[in-house]
Every structure is written in structure tokens, then in C-alpha cells.
Amino acid sequence: MTQTAEIEKVEVPLPGRAYDILIGPDLLARAGAEIAARLPGTRAAIVTDANLAGRHLATLQASLAESGIAAVAHVVPPGEKSKNFVELQNAVDAVLAARLERNDVVVALGGGVVGDLAGFAAGIVRRGMNFVQVPTSLLAQVDSSVGGKTGINTGHGKNLVGVFHQPKLVLADTSALDTLPPREFRAGYAEVMKYGLIDRPDFFAFLETNWREVFAGGPARARAIAESCRAKADVVVRDEFETGDRALLNLGHTFGHALEAATGYDGARLVHGEGVAIGMALAHRFSARMNLASPDDAARVEAHLAAVGLPRRIAEIEGDLPGAERLLDYIAQDKKVTRGTLTFILTHGVGRSFVARDVPRSEVLAFLREQLPE
Ligand SMILES: NC(=O)c1ccc[n+]([C@@H]2O[C@H](COP(=O)([O-])OP(=O)(O)OC[C@H]3O[C@@H](n4cnc5c(N)ncnc54)[C@H](O)[C@@H]3O)[C@@H](O)[C@H]2O)c1
Ligand SMILES: [Zn+2]
């Protein structure tokens, strides 16, 4: 029992497709036992990327072997570019070449890229195979591994082709995060903060007090990831196929996506989580400007972003940026525009976000002009 004491469990109670998310240190070494307990007699294909292959793959393979699970490994190049049709075909071929059946399992070991690609392959091989997520980035542990969305990118845009395919199990090894580059960890932390800012003010206060331990590792890290998974799972259970309620998860993302587009998706200038960080600060500042929230709340959010080393102002992005009109175009492209108004996630204060449906374009433009560096 002592061994399992520090493992947190979050249940995702989807009818007929319920699954557990286990969160804690050294779970990679227990992956075989956890998978064998849920999928007896299974064989596995591990999909991972080259960064993980040199670090954590051997631990996972040893754990599967110990539990009698025969496994092959398929390694993809790291990075967003791997979410394409060619890599999808390669992954599908690898699973078929290993002669896996429907009741066998595809295991994704990696960040959101590997999870989205491997999950898509698992969702279409033999019309849907078992799938297990072993997320290794903070973003994947708190966001992409939960909820069953899978997919790849095309020339028409990101994540435009994919399926909903829920995993049978998610194993979030919190010590595997120790090898994640610090910038990637911070970027994932923006999504953790987001759950507090949406509707969990006590969680936000917990993060303000405990963020150092979340970054350093320790029980607060597992607690923060578990609380984030609980928040995401709640939304997923209410709206599995994303017809409405998932909108609040876009807090900070409308501004954030526009900034990512404006920097040409150049990860050296801005990674997704950094865009979300600035976006959350902007959403709070804009809410204060619209007299929906107190400026003190915006200041509080900014103070926490600054404490953890995340950006909070557009001016912190290196290099040239387009003007306010152009940024507004990016926002309008991202969102449906109805007669001169835009939909944003705004807030009445920390942990009190809401969907604002008719935000006047002119107000956003005036606000962006104030926010841009001269
Ligand atoms: N399906 C969903 O619901 C959902 C939700 C949010 C994001 N996403 C997708 O997730 C992707 C982003 O995920 P990401 O940020 O994890 O990117 P990623 O998978 O590219 O991982 C980021 C980098 O960290 C490396 N890495 C991962 N874990 C590591 C570890 N433990 N040690 C060392 N290096 C490690 C990876 O190799 C990669 O270079 C995007 O494609 C996005 O569209 C999907
Ligand atoms: Zn995000």
C-alpha cells in the first residue's frame, strides 16, 4: 500500500467508456501492471518520439515485459510537423506489421504530438483499437491526453482531420517531467493556471502558494496535475463531442491563437502556452477595461505569471508584430464574427470566467491599440 499512497486517481465517468487517469511519480515503471490489470492478455505497439526514445522508452518497455506484454516500438521525429498523413500511415503500418488485433493496445509515450498521432492511428486501425496514453509533457498530462480528441494537421490548418477516441487508461508519470525542457514545462503550466482562472479560485490560490513545488517536483506537482485533469474531465463529461460547453477551456486562447498566428507559429518566438499566458493576462485586463472585473484581479494574474517566468504582455514577444487591425483580423479568423461582434471568454474575477457573446469589435480594437508596443 505504501507504494501506491502517493498515486492520485481521477475518474472520467463517460457512460460505457469510463477510464482512470493515474498521476504520480515513477508510474512508467508500473505501466505494465496497470495495463495488464485492465487489458489482460494484450499485446502493445508503443508510439513515441525520438526525444522520449532516448530517455523513457526503455523503462516503459521493461515494465511491459515484466507484466508479460509483448511490445514493439515505433519512433517518430519530434515536433508538430509529425502530425501529418505520412506519419499517420507509418504509425498505422507499424501497428499492422506487428499483427496487432483490436483487443491489443496502442500506447502513446510522449507529448501532445505523439498522443494526437498515436490516438488517431488507434482510432482507425481495425475501426478502433485499445489506446493508452502515457503523457510526458505537462501540457499533455493536464490537457491533450484527457478527452479523446485525436488528429493531425493539414495545409488547411491545425487539427482539421481526426477522430474522437477515448483512451482506456491515462498514466501521467510526474517524475518523467523532470527531463522536460524548462520552457516547455512553463508553457504547460499556463494551462494549469487556466483551470484555476476558469472556475476554481481555490486552486488558483493553491498555485500561488505552491507553484515552486509544482515546478521542482513533489506532492504539490501531482496535486496540481490531478486537479487540472479533474477540471478537464468535468468539461469532457458534460460535452464529450464538443458541441458547446467546452468553450470555457478557450480562456486566453482567442488572444493567444492570434499571437501565435502573428508570429508565424515560430516556436522560437512564442510557444502555445506562452501565447495562452499573454492571452489570459489580456482577457483579464480587457475584462477590467469593460468594467466586468476589478483591475486588482488582472494585476493578481499578471503577478503570478511573472512569478513563474511566463510572459504577460505583447511587448515581451521578440521581433516585429503586426498592428492592432491585423491582430484583430487574426482573432476574427479564429472565431465566428456575427455582425461586428466577437465571442470571447471574459471574467468577473479570478475563477469567475464566462462566455461573452457580443463583444464589440471596436472595443477590442481600441484595447489592442493600447496593448501594443509603440
Ligand atoms: N487532443 C487534444 O485535446 C489536445 C489539446 C491540447 C493540445 N493538443 C496538441 O498537443 C500538441 C502540443 O503538445 P506538447 O506541448 O506536449 O508538444 P510535443 O508533443 O511536441 O512536446 C514538446 C516537446 O517536448 C519533448 N518532450 C515531451 N516530453 C518530454 C520529456 N518528458 N522529456 C524530454 N522531452 C520531452 C517532445 O519531444 C517535444 O520536443 C499540439 O499538437 C496540440 O495541437 C491536443
Ligand atoms: Zn491550449
Side-chain angles (χ1 to χ4, degrees), residues 111-113 135-146 177 180 184-185 187-189 191-192 195 232 253 272-273 276:
V113 165
T136 61
S137 70
L138 183 55
L139 181 136
Q141 294 193 353
V142 301
D143 191 352
S144 59
S145 68
V146 180
L177 299 178
L180 191 65
E184 295 288 347
F185 190 96
Y189 185 84
E191 308 280 1
V192 174
Y195 295 115
K232 174 103 192 234
H253 282 62
H272 173 74
V276 172

Side-chain angles (χ1 to χ4, degrees), residues 73-259:
H74 175 72
V75 182
V76 306
E80 186 69 28
K81 285 199 174 67
S82 283
K83 281 175 50 172
N84 66 41
F85 278 109
V86 173
E87 290 302 337
L88 177 69
Q89 182 176 349
N90 291 342
V92 163
D93 280 341
V95 174
L96 292 173
R99 304 195 188 286
L100 296 197
E101 309 279 342
R102 260 188 114 206
N103 284 330
D104 294 323
V105 63
V106 174
V107 180
L109 172 71
V113 165
V114 163
D116 280 8
L117 181 70
F120 191 9
I124 59 176
V125 174
R126 301 185 189 280
R127 299 188 182 78
M129 292 180 55
N130 287 328
F131 179 45
V132 168
Q133 289 265 24
V134 185
T136 61
S137 70
L138 183 55
L139 181 136
Q141 294 193 353
V142 301
D143 191 352
S144 59
S145 68
V146 180
K149 281 208 288 177
T150 76
I152 58 173
N153 307 322
T154 84
H156 293 278
K158 289 180 70 172
N159 301 322
L160 290 179
V161 178
V163 295
F164 285 95
H165 188 60
Q166 298 292 344
K168 296 284 186 219
L169 173 69
V170 180
L171 294 171
D173 183 331
T174 53
S175 34
L177 299 178
D178 288 339
T179 58
L180 191 65
R183 189 176 176 190
E184 295 288 347
F185 190 96
R186 271 199 301 275
Y189 185 84
E191 308 280 1
V192 174
M193 272 180 75
K194 182 186 78 174
Y195 295 115
L197 293 175
I198 290 172
D199 59 0
R200 295 177 184 234
D202 294 347
F203 181 45
F204 189 75
F206 169 85
L207 292 172
E208 286 177 312
T209 311
N210 295 288
W211 66 269
R212 283 182 189 78
E213 193 183 312
V214 175
F215 276 71
R221 178 184 283 179
R223 268 192 69 186
I225 293 169
E227 185 69 7
S228 301
C229 289
R230 230 169 266 131
K232 174 103 192 234
D234 276 0
V235 178
V236 167
V237 168
R238 284 203 304 269
D239 183 20
E240 183 181 3
F241 299 109
E242 215 171 312
T243 48
D245 225 20
R246 278 201 191 190
L248 283 175
L249 294 175
N250 281 329
L251 174 66
H253 282 62
T254 304
F255 287 120
H257 284 152
L259 294 171

